[in-house]
Amino acid sequence: MTDRVRVLLADDEHLIRGALAALLALEDDLTVVAEAASGPEALAMAAAHRPDVAVLDLQMPGLDGLEVAAELRHRLPDCRVMIVTGHGRPGYLKRALEVGVRGFLPKTVSASDLAGIIRTVRAGGRYVDPELAAEAISAGDSPLTPRETDVLELAADGSSIAEIADRASLSQGTVRNYLSSAAGKLGAENRHAAVRIAREHGWL
Amino acid sequence: MTDRVRVLLADDEHLIRGALAALLALEDDLTVVAEAASGPEALAMAAAHRPDVAVLDLQMPGLDGLEVAAELRHRLPDCRVMIVTGHGRPGYLKRALEVGVRGFLPKTVSASDLAGIIRTVRAGGRYVDPELAAEAISAGDSPLTPRETDVLELAADGSSIAEIADRASLSQGTVRNYLSSAAGKLGAENRHAAVRIAREHGWL
DNA sequence: GGCCGCCGATGACATTTGTCACCGCCGACC
DNA sequence: GGTCGGCGGTGACAAATGTCATCGGCGGCC
């Protein structure tokens, strides 16, 4: 605790990242040792600067925050990871916790809160935004099997059954069965509504 | 020009807004006179503080940035309006210019750029991010008729034809005709892909 | 007046999609 | 060994959707 907390900031929005860096610099026990604008860059900066805490935006080009978090967990097990998200769907929270993320918060928190949470996480604590946690709990687990999720994901851009079958290397009948099953489980009228519902719950 | 530029900041993400306010406060010719976290609040703050420049986030609860911009134009014609957007689709740019917005930029700009652009806008100039402008030009105008757009919008959540017809008070056949026509114009295989394409172009 | 495009509708038709039953093959679990 | 669930598939049928031609009404434009 005598040392300053070494922080890595990763966010593709320069404006936010710069502003955040400036704000955190005002805290005299925090130091922003590196910034990154993309997932791969975040990994590279982390390897080079070995921060104590990595603050990652969920949406980034290249690798998203969760993928970076998963990588960091293996490459730098001592580095605590926090995810900051703009308008986060709750499903990500569960996945984040599974890859060892110790802080998960929306961008609606204040800067002083952020600084406090960084200290908490650095000290080995965890922090999850209460509202996001509540949503995640009420959303629950996905009722879909892995394969159903795969196929539904391929359906997400409005493709026809034929295209989905092609991309998944499945027969059209099988694709229709999976989609029908998924739509049934989600209470949707068709696969497109099912995609929307799954997205809203963060299951996609 | 002898006075400091009075700025209103509106963004629903506290973290960003606070950080931005702190950064802009470092510029000695700028003053953040008000902050807002939602569209209606932005209007109220604008009326109360009469800023020279309003910096609005595109996505906000209540009223989005464009709606606020349109209102401000009538209520405070002297107030210049800038829109800042996270991952902006180009279609908004055109609409923004139509409601008198004088600055349109992504959050990937740097803070010093932002300050400069605020000064430019305050002085009566305009600024549009080159990349967004290029996308908007390449995207062009929507080929859809107003009614086609309406119906496509109702189809956006995956509803069935029957539901759309009901909500639009049209016959199912008419709905199918509009959707078929829209899909044809957009080069889509079905209405769901058409929705996606229209969204990507900001036509929805 | 004539032309054209948008709006709303109808009817017919082909295609796509959803639904269901049923099959075999695994692998896990009891 | 038996049971169960996920995976992949087939076939058949009904329902939803896409496509096309055609109609009348309206308003703008030349």
Side-chain angles (χ1 to χ4, degrees), chain B residues 26-100:
Chain B
L26 298 180
E27 308 283 328
D28 53 11
D29 57 338
L30 304 180
T31 308
V32 177
V33 294
E35 298 184 23
S38 72
E41 192 183 349
L43 284 176
M45 296 304 264
H49 294 92
R50 310 197 146 263
D52 299 314
V53 178
V55 178
L56 309 176
D57 190 81
L58 189 54
Q59 310 171 45
M60 281 189 296
L63 299 171
D64 73 19
L66 291 185
E67 293 169 311
V68 174
E71 270 302 309
L72 280 181
R73 185 189 203 182
H74 293 112
R75 299 199 198 170
L76 292 177
D78 292 339
C79 175
R80 327 275 198 187
V81 178
M82 298 172 48
I83 297 280
V84 180
T85 171
H87 301 80
R89 288 179 293 288
Y92 289 109
L93 174 52
K94 185 167 191 297
R95 281 194 266 163
L97 294 177
E98 283 166 2
V99 295

Side-chain angles (χ1 to χ4, degrees), chain B:
Chain B
M1 292 306 161
T2 61
D3 288 341
R4 295 157 66 105
V5 183
R6 298 161 49 79
V7 177
L8 162 70
L9 266 186
D11 192 322
D12 62 327
E13 299 174 340
H14 274 238
L15 195 50
I16 313 312
R17 181 158 42 84
L20 231 47
L23 269 195
L24 292 180
L26 298 180
E27 308 283 328
D28 53 11
D29 57 338
L30 304 180
T31 308
V32 177
V33 294
E35 298 184 23
S38 72
E41 192 183 349
L43 284 176
M45 296 304 264
H49 294 92
R50 310 197 146 263
D52 299 314
V53 178
V55 178
L56 309 176
D57 190 81
L58 189 54
Q59 310 171 45
M60 281 189 296
L63 299 171
D64 73 19
L66 291 185
E67 293 169 311
V68 174
E71 270 302 309
L72 280 181
R73 185 189 203 182
H74 293 112
R75 299 199 198 170
L76 292 177
D78 292 339
C79 175
R80 327 275 198 187
V81 178
M82 298 172 48
I83 297 280
V84 180
T85 171
H87 301 80
R89 288 179 293 288
Y92 289 109
L93 174 52
K94 185 167 191 297
R95 281 194 266 163
L97 294 177
E98 283 166 2
V99 295
V101 166
R102 312 186 69 93
F104 197 95
L105 45 149
K107 281 181 178 169
T108 49
V109 300
S110 73
S112 58
D113 289 344
L114 176 64
I117 294 166
I118 290 177
R119 293 188 192 98
T120 300
V121 165
R122 152 63 192 259
R126 291 168 182 272
Y127 178 86
V128 171
D129 178 74
E131 196 164 338
L132 291 176
E135 286 177 31
I137 291 170
S138 74
D141 279 3
S142 170
L144 306 177
T145 69
R147 213 68 183 106
E148 283 165 358
T149 307
D150 290 346
V151 176
L152 198 55
E153 205 152 353
L154 289 173
D157 60 354
S159 308
S160 66
I161 298 279
E163 279 178 294
I164 298 168
D166 198 48
R167 281 191 281 165
S169 300
L170 290 174
S171 86
Q172 299 197 11
T174 303
V175 169
R176 286 193 290 180
N177 286 340
Y178 278 137
L179 291 176
S180 178
S181 164
K185 287 177 181 176
L186 298 177
E189 281 196 335
N190 54 49
R191 61 205 159 96
H192 307 287
V195 165
R196 186 179 50 78
I197 292 172
R199 278 244 170 84
E200 283 170 2
H201 288 288
W203 291 335
L204 191 144

Side-chain angles (χ1 to χ4, degrees), chain A residues 113-135:
Chain A
D113 288 344
L114 176 64
I117 294 166
I118 290 177
R119 293 188 192 97
T120 300
V121 165
R122 153 63 193 259
R126 292 166 183 273
Y127 178 85
V128 171
D129 178 75
E131 196 164 338
L132 291 176
E135 285 179 31

